[in-house]
């Protein structure tokens, strides 16, 4: 069996409780492997929040890898929680953390492995209550029939409220329906079963109608003040290597940039900062508690943190003393970021990664990617002069308004980077490695591109071929994935409730960890769509009308539809929108905190 | 500055922690308790920490040894308790002391190997097993470091075997060579499966019990 240590728990700081003092047991499930789930900061936060509640024991549960699943099914071992090894089917609440749509099949499979009926309507009693949160819940329609409650937004305040309501329901012997109706009145709580969805003949949504007192719009919940929000200083230190095996210090939430394709950029608005003093304290305390040797300053766009330099000044001596590496997750191509990166990397010259996303300034303007080729080349020159000899460049193919010129522009960018190396490399004998990777653009809900079609696979492959042809130089490596996963991602991320039947069917056909190429099968999905009489292209490749009721129209992330449509129009006009720090564009998100953003 | 050795138990869940992961775990445990690990010099400094005789994944042990160097001048007293407050379940430090003997003095290890038979021990099993291991040569195939399959004769690496039998289980206390080359006691089970298929156990459990030097004095 591969990596057995991920199935045995017992890690440092795993929370153990005495069952005689526990009245509410929660299985916190991550529909992916241990290494992925344990790398998720949100999961670590809510694990701490829930276990800080008296009488509540929150335990972890992950999707087993195929070899383990096979063993469990053969030996009839139901899915168990890592702390107590008790089967999660008998817990009070089963809570999923869902960050991406391709994890939907894993949710169904975990319920199945836990011997819990899949459909919410088949689970009549209060236990187990199946809830789900995470960014994929901003459009959870494709799994709406399987979950009792979806939590929208940030869970720090909301999850304890829901748990208290659940306890009250048990004390006062409410029916499940009573609980659901009352839960629907909490902010950020979406009970899919309390909404009727009707469709036009052409398959588009006619109306989403609330019933039993559920609100017409459900607004996401957020943490108002990051300085008062829980941060997991004491956190589990896995005994086996995970993907993000380091302290993740979260500087701020939200992003000031406004890239038009980026769902995270919109749904995490508004920007809320943590104070530098507090961050420095958390950093020290977490290092001391965990013994970790590495810390990453995490956020959507870390270099936008206002007092980043001061924070690093403060952390550096301490880190040097503790042999601790400080790292930045993503890098903007500008002088400020480059200087900071050089300082933190201290001679460790690993490769550099930039994400220009598009090959021409016109298209970068259309997607509001605030990056010029000059900035990029300047950063590369600086890096090459400093001894770096590897650069990775990430682009997307199929962005709205993309033309062949834009595609070929990617090759030009790579050639210019090559040129920059010739100009400025200090040691040319070592050669240079320039890697260009392209992914297939997936339009997401709640973005300026939520109305846009994804280009077809044939068109995607034509553009890949075009780029390949343009890039036939040996010094540039071109990576692209013939990734049908991106197509299914486009289908699921803007799917409607009728797709639940597809999910159930694809589950019965054996879908499990579909976020992994090892397990994904396009044929299986296509068969399932066929069986259910639905057309995946309707979801992925159709241009939606302005004004069309979208399956997620009742979900309010704080950013107004009018703003998104305006951004959509500006994209087609090739007009950029300034970042939130330069000028507020009035997206609506500040209404969630009742003060200016980014304070 | 001090060179210390930690004697610890590795069992239950922790028997699934791999060698590399175990090193990583200890690297985090010492700083937590205020002990500063010494790092190698050079361009990529790494903490000076090593496991004397790595235990194969899945086996348990009462006598694992970890060597490490710390910046502080300490003799190791109190370290075991300190470490125990920060270890994952299944790991437990017994003692910590200054390194007195080099790891190369380690010559033998004793392990218990339990062969489980779900449907009861087959008749005459012990005699057949005794006979097998009294041969001059028992070949077992084994992967080398380069992942190639080779055959090794395990008999010269076995110093002593003591057989006994319990309900549904045959037990053997084995004293085998620890290094240069050493014998993984689990290979005794592999040999049984290969040579006496009728006696292939349903489950083999291995627990390392003690370490010895060439004179069969306990190695610490
Ligand atoms: S309200 Fe203004 S500053 Fe705040 S996120 Fe929206 S556009 Fe940016």
């Amino acid at each position: 069996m591969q990596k057995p240590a991920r199935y045995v728990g017992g890690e440092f700081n795993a929370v153990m409780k005495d069952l005689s003092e526990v009245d509410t047991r929660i299985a916190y499930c991550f529909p992916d492997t241990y290494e992925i789930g344990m790398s998720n900061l949100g999961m670590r936060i809510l694990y701490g929040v829930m276990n800080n509640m008296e009488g509540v024991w929150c335990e972890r549960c992950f999707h087993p890898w195929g070899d383990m699943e096979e063993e469990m099914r053969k030996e009839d071992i139901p899915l168990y929680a890592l702390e107590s090894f008790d089967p999660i089917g008998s817990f009070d609440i089963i809570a999923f953390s869902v960050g991406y749509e391709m994890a939907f099949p894993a949710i169904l499979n975990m319920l199945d492995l836990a011997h819990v009926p899949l459909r919410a309507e088949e689970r009549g009693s209060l236990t187990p209550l199946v809830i789900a949160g995470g960014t994929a819940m901003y459009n959870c329609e494709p799994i709406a029939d399987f979950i009792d409650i979806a939590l929208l937004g940030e869970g720090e305040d909301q999850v304890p409220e829901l748990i208290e309501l659940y306890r009250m329901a048990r004390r006062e012997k409410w029916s499940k329906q009573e609980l659901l109706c009352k839960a629907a009145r909490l902010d950020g709580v979406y009970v899919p079963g309390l909404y009727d969805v009707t469709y036009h003949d052409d398959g588009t949504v006619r109306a989403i109608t609330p019933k039993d007192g559920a609100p017409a719009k459900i607004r996401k919940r957020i943490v108002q003040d990051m300085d008062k929000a829980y941060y997991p200083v004491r956190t589990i230190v896995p005994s086996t290597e995970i993907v993000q095996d380091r302290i993740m210090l979260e500087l701020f939430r939200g992003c000031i940039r406004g890239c038009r394709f980026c769902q995270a950029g919109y749904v995490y608005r508004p920007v809320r900062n943590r104070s530098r003093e507090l961050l420095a304290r958390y950093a020290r305390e977490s290092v001391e508690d965990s013994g970790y040797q590495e810390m990453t300053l995490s956020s959507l766009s870390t270099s936008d943190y206002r007092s980043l330099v001061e924070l690093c000044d403060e952390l550096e001596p301490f880190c040097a003393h503790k042999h601790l590496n400080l790292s930045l997750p993503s890098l903007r191509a500008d002088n400020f970021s480059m200087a900071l990166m050089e300082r933190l990397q201290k001679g460790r010259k690993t490769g550099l990664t930039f994400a220009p996303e598009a090959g021409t300034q016109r298209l970068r303007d259309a997607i509001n990617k605030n990056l010029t080729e000059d900035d990029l080349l300047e950063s590369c020159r600086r890096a090459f002069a400093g001894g770096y000899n590897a650069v990775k460049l990430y682009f997307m193919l199929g962005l709205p308004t993309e033309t062949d010129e834009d595609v070929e522009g990617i090759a030009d960018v790579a050639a210019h980077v090559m040129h920059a190396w010739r100009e400025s490399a200090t040691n040319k004998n070592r050669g240079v490695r320039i890697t260009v990777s392209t992914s297939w653009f997936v339009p997401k809900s709640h973005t300026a591109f939520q109305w846009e079609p994804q280009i077809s696979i044939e068109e995607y492959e034509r553009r890949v071929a075009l780029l390949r042809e343009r890039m036939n130089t040996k010094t540039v490596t071109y990576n692209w994935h013939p990734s049908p996963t991106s197509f299914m991602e486009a289908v699921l991320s803007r799917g409607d409730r009728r797709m639940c039947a597809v999910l159930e069917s694809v589950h019965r056909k054996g879908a499990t960890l579909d976020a992994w190429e090892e397990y994904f099968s396009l044929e299986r999905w296509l068969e399932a769509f066929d069986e259910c009489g639905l057309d995946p292209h309707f979801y992925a490749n159709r241009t939606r009308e302005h004004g069309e009721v979208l399956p997620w129209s009742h979900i309010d992330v704080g950013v107004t539809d009018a703003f998104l449509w305006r951004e959509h129009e500006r994209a087609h006009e090739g007009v950029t929108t300034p970042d939130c720090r330069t000028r507020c564009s009035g997206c609506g998100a500040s209404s969630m905190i009742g003060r200016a953003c980014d304070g | 500055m001090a060179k210390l050795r930690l004697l610890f138990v590795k069992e239950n869940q922790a028997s699934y922690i791999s060698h590399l992961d175990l090193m990583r775990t200890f690297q985090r445990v010492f700083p937590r308790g205020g002990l500063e690990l010494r790092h190698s010099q050079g361009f990529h400094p790494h903490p000076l920490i090593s496991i004397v005789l790595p235990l194969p994944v899945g086996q348990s042990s009462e006598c694992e040894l970890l060597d490490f160097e710390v910046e502080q001048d300490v003799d190791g007293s109190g370290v075991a308790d300190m470490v125990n407050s920060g270890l994952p379940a299944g790991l437990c430090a017994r003692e910590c002391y200054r390194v007195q003997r080099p790891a190369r003095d380690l010559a033998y290890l004793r392990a218990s190997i339990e062969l489980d038979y779900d449907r009861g021990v087959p008749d005459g099993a012990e005699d057949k097993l005794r006979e097998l291991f009294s041969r001059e040569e028992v070949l077992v195939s084994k992967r080398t470091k380069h992942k190639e399959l080779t055959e090794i004769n395990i008999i010269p690496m076995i110093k002593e075997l003591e057989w006994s039998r319990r309900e549904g289980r045959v037990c053997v206390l084995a004293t085998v060579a620890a290094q240069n080359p050493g014998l993984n006691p689990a290979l005794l089970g592999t040999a049984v499966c290969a040579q006496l298929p009728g006696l292939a156990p349903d489950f083999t459990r291995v627990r390392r019990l003690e370490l010895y030097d060439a004179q069969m004095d306990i190695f610490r």
Side-chain angles (χ1 to χ4, degrees), chain A residues 4-5 8-12 82 85 237-241 245-246 287-293 321-323 347-348, chain B residues 13-14 16-18 21-22 24-25 27-29 31-33 36-37 39 43-45 47 57 71 85-89:
Chain A
V8 297
E11 308 93 324
F12 175 64
L82 280 186
F85 298 119
V237 182
S239 316
T240 180
E241 194 173 20
D245 212 1
R246 53 188 67 91
V287 170
E288 247 132 54
D289 184 73
S290 66
Y292 264 124
Q293 311 273 292
H321 175 72
K322 293 263 179 192
H323 298 283
R348 287 176 295 131
Chain B
Q13 292 126 297
Y16 296 103
I17 301 179
S18 70
D21 286 336
L22 190 64
R24 241 190 301 267
T25 298
Q27 271 169 43
R28 290 166 188 162
V29 168
R32 249 180 244 153
E36 218 179 297
L37 286 172
H39 283 63
F43 210 61
H44 297 285
V57 173
E71 297 288 357
S85 65
L87 283 178

Side-chain angles (χ1 to χ4, degrees), chain A residues 269 580 584-587 589-590 597:
Chain A
R269 288 180 182 217
C580 296
C584 171
S585 309
C587 76
S590 62
C597 300

